[in-house]
Structures are given as structure tokens and as C-alpha cells.
Amino acid sequence: MDLSDLEDTLQPRFRTPAEVLPKVLAELRLDQRRQEAEILKVWQTLMDPEIVAHARPTGLLKNGTLLVSVDNNVWLAEIVGYRRHDILRRLQQAFGANRIRRISFRVGG
């Protein structure tokens, strides 16, 4: 009786790093995290220090929406009411209108 086929199916299949690495990197979201860190760095440089003290980018969605957390309702009203368009314009000049299409502000982190 030849059991070599059965033995082959029961052998653990080892994967090469080249097979495993893309999935691991995707799960770690390193590209996304690098992009968000770059946006935060530019935010701190381009924005008025008062805005930096009260608001910060917390994520970028695939549709180009930048999520920004604001520390309180008063600053949320100030930013949304008076500074939203200027903030978006500055970020679009720095990153391009396709990368940051809109901004969504919310209170909290």
C-alpha cells in the first residue's frame, strides 16, 4: 500500500517570507500609518498654533476624508464656522486635492 500521497497532504506547508510578508505588512497598515504621521507633521507646520493646540488629524479615510479631533465644542464651532476652508486649502496645497478631498471634524479623540 502506497501512502506517499497521504503523507504529502499531512506535511505542514512552510511559506517563504516573500509569501507571508505582504499580508503581514497589510495587517500592520504601515503605509497608512506613515501617511498619517506625514499629515500630522505638516499640520503642525502649516496651521496656526492655536489650531494645533486644540485640533489634530486622527486618520485619513480611503475616500480622501481627513478626520480631525478637536478638544472641545467651542473650538469645533470656531474651526468649522470660520477656519474650515482655509485649513482644507492649505492641506490640499501641501498634499493635493485628490489625497485630501474633505475634512470631518469631531470633538474627542
Side-chain angles (χ1 to χ4, degrees):
M1 180 188 242
D2 183 16
L3 298 176
S4 59
D5 288 339
L6 181 60
E7 289 174 349
D8 287 342
T9 60
L10 295 177
Q11 291 283 336
R13 182 175 178 276
F14 296 101
R15 296 182 183 172
T16 66
E19 293 173 306
V20 176
L21 198 55
K23 183 178 179 186
V24 170
L25 291 176
E27 289 176 5
L28 291 174
R29 300 178 330 123
L30 292 179
D31 285 340
Q32 179 75 17
R33 291 178 187 193
R34 181 194 52 77
Q35 186 176 30
E36 290 171 0
E38 181 183 0
I39 290 170
L40 180 60
K41 182 178 177 182
V42 170
W43 175 274
Q44 293 171 337
T45 303
L46 285 181
M47 297 304 143
D48 183 317
E50 286 184 320
I51 293 174
V52 172
H54 296 281
R56 68 181 190 88
T58 54
L60 181 63
L61 303 179
K62 290 185 181 197
N63 68 358
T65 300
L66 180 65
L67 304 176
V68 177
S69 293
V70 183
D71 63 5
N72 62 60
N73 286 320
V74 173
W75 271 99
L76 178 65
E78 168 74 19
I79 290 170
V80 171
Y82 302 104
R83 301 183 188 208
R84 171 187 219 117
H85 297 292
D86 181 54
I87 291 170
L88 181 59
R89 181 185 54 76
R90 288 178 186 212
L91 291 171
Q92 286 179 335
Q93 285 176 345
F95 295 106
N98 288 331
R99 189 162 169 197
I100 299 179
R101 294 184 178 153
R102 57 186 297 263
I103 303 177
S104 177
F105 297 93
R106 66 174 183 241
V107 174

